[in-house]
Amino acid sequence: MDQLGRTSETPKSPWGGCPPAMPSCSLSDVMSEELARQLEEENKAFPSLTNPEVSLLSGEETDTNSDLMLARLLQMQYDRECDTQLRREERKYNGESKVSISFENYRTAHPYDGSESSEDEVDWQDTRDDPYKPDKPQVTPRKGFTGKGKNITTKHDEVVCGRKNTARMDNFAPEVLVGDGLGMDLKLSNQVFNSLKQHCHSEQRRSARLHDKKEHSTSEQAVDPRTRLLMYKMVSAGTLERINGCISTGKESVVFHANGGMLEEQPVPEEVVLKVFKTTLNEFKNRDRYIKDDYRFKDRFSKLNPRKIIRLWAEKEMHNLARMKKAGIPCPEVALLSKHILVMSFIGKDHVPAPKLKDTMLGAADMKTAYYQVLQMMQQMYQECNLVHADLSEYNMLWHQGQVWLIDVSQSVEPSHPHGLQFLFRDCTNVSTFFQKRGVAEAMSVYELFNCVTGLDLTINEEDEAEFLAQIEALEKRNEDHVQKRGKTFPLSSWDGSPPLKHAADD
């Protein structure tokens, strides 16, 4: 107790008691060799607690109370074995290929300082510090090289160029699937990259051609979007009730069967056909010769592009059918013309088209009747309609209800055409040959049939066809001169049933 009566005890802390202070030791105790030997002996007694990983990997028997530590060590050892096997598979897969593929993304562990793998097994990919990153591939600076001396790397380095080519694949068209090459460290050589680039451009051009052909052409049984829209409008407007399907395809058109409706309060035949003229210009390349010299369309032909000429071709058939119908020749009746689609009456019954004359099995009497019907129709076309079929054969003649019907007259021309008589001679050849093969004894020869249809009296020499064709060419030349003298057209109102060539004797 001091002079003021206070005791000398240490005052108690309001926060509780303080832990006892550690006994102080002197510097000499810390530097004691005896203490060092004691600690060393303790470490030798418990080696697994000081460095359990090393002891486990070395195969020594260890004892530890931490199950988590043992599980982690075992998993690490398993991962390293898997990575070693994966590295072998990678080398085996790449081989000597110029394009190397890395399995880095499939590895779970990475080499450590104590790895037993050799240096050639461990490349730059065996570390997390990947010098090549997908976002910014390693490239050389503008000066063209990096480093100095032995460590110099130029822009022509094989590895740098390979990675740069891989990054440039992203510039290919979106439809070219290049895969995830950036994440796999692909190294494409210049030769491989240039081949891929050339292939990509070739596929783009090919795709553009196919797309253009698909969008702007009608071929086989397929129709382009514009044609489908026209057909849809016909159904929507009530002109057609429905379109049933394709019934025929030819070199110049595709024919669909449909059910008719109403057109401007006038009934459309119950069964009709839609003749869709093909818009692929290479399907029927010789169309021009049938229309460019026809005086009815000559002026318009020179002012139209090739696709609009297809519409003119459909219009030409409509006018030819109108002439034939007026003369009483059995042929389809036109109901509607919409650009390159011609709607006509259906020759047949209950969705079944009438057979072509070549497909019929007629008896001798019916075949003879068919021959005289064809002869009469050829005379009517030439003398009354002022037309030459120009493609008459057993393929363009139908047999329906005991009568021959003529179809496909889009290429028909007038006799005043520069090649009109040659076309007629070809028609006579087809008709005469077909009926003679079918056993019609009354069938005339080609030359007799030509004179009978035209009313001419050309010299016939069956052994020399060239002489007969020479007479035809001479008459065509005289007829062309006649047309040029009298005007562009031969007036149909003054047609007296005789061939126009008889009026060409102006010289």
Side-chain angles (χ1 to χ4, degrees):
M1 182 178 295
D2 56 7
Q3 298 177 356
L4 299 177
R6 293 174 296 184
T7 60
S8 59
E9 297 179 359
T10 304
K12 296 182 178 180
S13 172
W15 308 104
C18 296
M22 294 295 296
S24 60
C25 61
S26 61
L27 179 60
S28 59
D29 295 336
V30 174
M31 301 299 296
S32 173
E33 294 181 3
E34 182 179 355
L35 180 60
R37 284 194 298 271
Q38 181 181 356
L39 294 176
E40 185 177 358
E41 292 177 359
E42 293 178 357
N43 290 338
K44 290 180 179 179
F46 304 98
S48 61
L49 296 179
T50 57
N51 195 358
E53 179 182 349
V54 176
S55 61
L56 181 63
L57 297 178
S58 61
E60 300 178 1
E61 295 184 2
T62 59
D63 186 15
T64 178
N65 295 329
S66 177
D67 294 338
L68 178 60
M69 178 65 71
L70 288 174
R72 289 179 177 176
L73 292 174
L74 291 173
Q75 183 65 42
M76 182 179 297
Q77 181 66 15
Y78 176 77
D79 292 343
R80 287 174 177 171
E81 293 177 359
C82 290
D83 288 351
T84 303
Q85 180 65 23
L86 194 62
R87 192 178 296 109
R88 296 194 191 100
E89 295 293 335
E90 180 183 337
R91 291 198 306 270
K92 180 179 179 181
Y93 183 84
N94 291 330
E96 300 298 332
S97 176
K98 296 181 179 180
V99 180
S100 61
I101 297 179
S102 173
F103 296 164
E104 175 69 18
N105 293 342
Y106 300 97
R107 296 178 185 175
T108 54
H110 295 271
Y112 54 96
D113 296 339
S115 175
E116 297 178 358
S117 60
S118 59
E119 294 182 358
D120 58 342
E121 292 181 349
V122 182
D123 55 9
W124 62 271
Q125 300 178 12
D126 296 326
T127 175
R128 290 293 184 181
D129 300 330
D130 192 345
Y132 172 64
K133 297 181 180 180
D135 296 338
K136 295 182 180 179
Q138 181 181 358
V139 295
T140 54
R142 291 185 178 181
K143 59 184 179 180
F145 66 93
T146 57
K148 295 182 180 180
K150 297 182 179 180
N151 299 325
I152 188 172
T153 301
T154 67
K155 62 181 180 179
H156 304 291
D157 183 74
E158 182 178 358
V159 176
V160 174
C161 286
R163 294 170 182 166
K164 186 188 299 182
N165 291 337
T166 303
R168 291 166 61 188
M169 285 198 304
D170 282 351
N171 297 329
F172 289 170
E175 58 269 15
V176 180
L177 304 178
V178 297
D180 188 14
L182 293 178
M184 300 173 62
D185 185 34
L186 290 177
K187 304 182 187 70
L188 298 181
S189 64
N190 292 335
Q191 181 180 3
V192 174
F193 175 78
N194 291 335
S195 298
L196 290 175
K197 184 178 179 180
Q198 183 64 30
H199 175 72
C200 176
H201 291 170
S202 300
E203 287 297 315
Q204 282 184 289
R205 291 193 295 268
R206 175 177 171 273
S207 177
R209 290 195 299 268
L210 292 178
H211 182 270
D212 181 74
K213 183 178 180 180
K214 179 181 178 182
E215 292 295 326
H216 301 95
S217 66
T218 301
S219 59
E220 298 304 328
Q221 298 183 14
V223 294
D224 59 288
R226 295 181 180 179
T227 304
R228 287 198 298 270
L229 181 60
L230 291 175
M231 297 167 68
Y232 174 77
K233 288 182 177 179
M234 292 181 186
V235 177
S236 300
T239 305
L240 304 176
E241 289 187 2
R242 61 178 177 273
I243 300 175
N244 301 313
C246 179
I247 59 175
S248 175
T249 59
K251 60 185 177 181
E252 64 178 21
S253 62
V254 182
V255 181
F256 294 88
H257 182 274
N259 293 104
M262 298 290 293
L263 178 63
E264 296 180 356
E265 299 182 357
Q266 294 294 329
V268 178
E270 182 179 355
E271 289 187 277
V272 295
V273 294
L274 276 71
K275 187 172 183 179
V276 181
F277 287 85
K278 293 181 179 180
T279 54
T280 36
L281 302 179
N282 58 350
E283 290 286 349
F284 195 16
K285 296 181 179 179
N286 60 345
R287 288 178 177 179
D288 294 355
R289 60 184 297 197
Y290 294 94
I291 195 171
K292 68 179 181 179
D293 293 324
D294 194 325
Y295 73 88
R296 296 175 294 171
F297 308 97
K298 190 172 184 179
D299 295 337
R300 296 171 56 190
F301 178 82
S302 60
K303 300 176 182 178
L304 298 178
N305 59 48
R307 298 198 179 278
K308 291 185 179 180
I309 291 177
I310 306 301
R311 303 178 186 178
L312 194 62
W313 193 260
E315 181 183 345
K316 186 170 183 282
E317 178 161 7
M318 181 188 68
H319 290 304
N320 291 340
L321 287 174
R323 283 193 186 185
M324 295 170 60
K325 201 68 178 178
K326 187 177 181 180
I329 299 176
C331 64
E333 183 178 0
V334 179
L336 175 65
L337 173 64
S338 178
K339 295 185 178 180
H340 61 284
I341 300 179
L342 192 62
V343 181
M344 301 177 291
S345 59
F346 177 67
I347 302 177
K349 187 177 181 181
D350 297 333
H351 298 199
V352 179
K356 298 177 181 177
L357 198 58
K358 75 177 187 66
D359 298 327
T360 57
M361 302 298 295
L362 302 180
D366 289 337
M367 189 60 67
K368 179 179 178 181
T369 302
Y371 171 73
Y372 283 109
Q373 289 178 358
V374 174
L375 176 60
Q376 182 182 0
M377 287 188 290
M378 292 179 67
Q379 292 175 335
Q380 285 182 292
M381 286 190 64
Y382 187 87
Q383 299 177 5
E384 299 179 27
C385 304
N386 194 26
L387 286 176
V388 174
H389 192 285
D391 192 26
L392 187 62
S393 66
E394 62 272 19
Y395 293 88
N396 292 330
M397 294 184 286
L398 305 181
W399 180 259
H400 180 58
Q401 296 178 349
Q403 176 69 46
V404 177
W405 297 66
L406 297 185
I407 60 173
D408 292 343
V409 293
S410 56
Q411 72 286 330
S412 299
V413 297
E414 294 194 348
S416 59
H417 189 278
H419 304 289
L421 295 181
Q422 296 182 33
F423 294 154
L424 178 60
F425 182 79
R426 185 177 62 188
D427 292 347
C428 294
T429 302
N430 295 335
V431 171
S432 178
T433 302
F434 171 74
F435 284 102
Q436 286 178 358
K437 288 183 178 180
R438 288 300 179 97
V440 179
E442 293 80 5
M444 293 181 287
S445 66
V446 179
Y447 313 102
E448 294 173 344
L449 182 60
F450 182 87
N451 285 339
C452 181
V453 171
T454 60
L456 300 175
D457 190 17
L458 300 182
T459 303
I460 298 177
N461 186 1
E462 298 185 358
E463 297 180 357
D464 191 357
E465 181 179 340
E467 180 182 352
F468 195 84
L469 292 176
Q471 298 180 63
I472 293 177
E473 292 177 1
L475 290 174
E476 288 178 338
K477 184 65 171 61
R478 293 178 59 190
N479 185 53
E480 185 177 359
D481 296 340
H482 166 76
V483 173
Q484 291 179 354
K485 292 179 180 179
R486 299 291 180 87
K488 295 183 179 180
T489 64
F490 187 87
L492 194 60
S493 59
S494 62
W495 187 258
D496 58 358
S498 59
L501 299 175
K502 293 185 177 180
H503 298 281
D506 296 322
D507 51 354

